[in-house]
Amino acid sequence: MKKYTWEITSLYTLDVGSETDYVVTATFTILGTETVDGVEYKASLASGETFAVNEGSDFIPYADLTNDMVVGWIKEKIGEVGVDSLEASLGSQIDSKITPPIVPTKTALPWS
């Protein structure tokens, strides 16, 4: 069974009104893993997401943010279809490592 781990790698902030360190961009990696017959197969991707500034929204102080909170914001923004698409892409990469595709070989013409 594949497992996907989302990790925030950096946050970019602005001061907005009276709030300092308002997160406007988050970069992240997703690591997909699957263990088959004792061998762990991995694939990863890196991306980022930008957030609109919403003054007056429920501001969470920067020091109180957690990886899970920010990942939640990203997943909410890209939606279930976006999350499924990213994880499916990693899943396909893992499947190709577990069962590599058969690639035909270019063979010299027999009459050359």
Side-chain angles (χ1 to χ4, degrees), residues 26-39:
T27 61
F28 61 94
T29 59
I30 308 169
L31 174 64
T33 59
E34 183 173 15
T35 301
V36 176
D37 297 329
V39 177

Side-chain angles (χ1 to χ4, degrees), residues 8-14 21-28 47-53 62 65 70 73-74 77:
I8 302 302
T9 54
S10 60
L11 297 174
Y12 296 83
T13 64
L14 291 174
D21 294 329
Y22 191 102
V23 176
V24 293
T25 302
T27 61
F28 61 94
S47 190
E49 198 61 49
T50 301
F51 306 103
V53 173
Y62 190 84
L65 295 176
V70 180
W73 297 347
I74 292 167
K77 182 163 185 208

Side-chain angles (χ1 to χ4, degrees), residues 6 49-51 54 68-83:
W6 292 61
E49 198 61 49
T50 301
F51 306 103
N54 295 315
D68 289 342
M69 275 184 207
V70 180
V71 167
W73 297 347
I74 292 167
K75 288 182 175 183
E76 182 178 331
K77 182 163 185 208
I78 65 175
E80 185 177 337
V81 172
V83 171

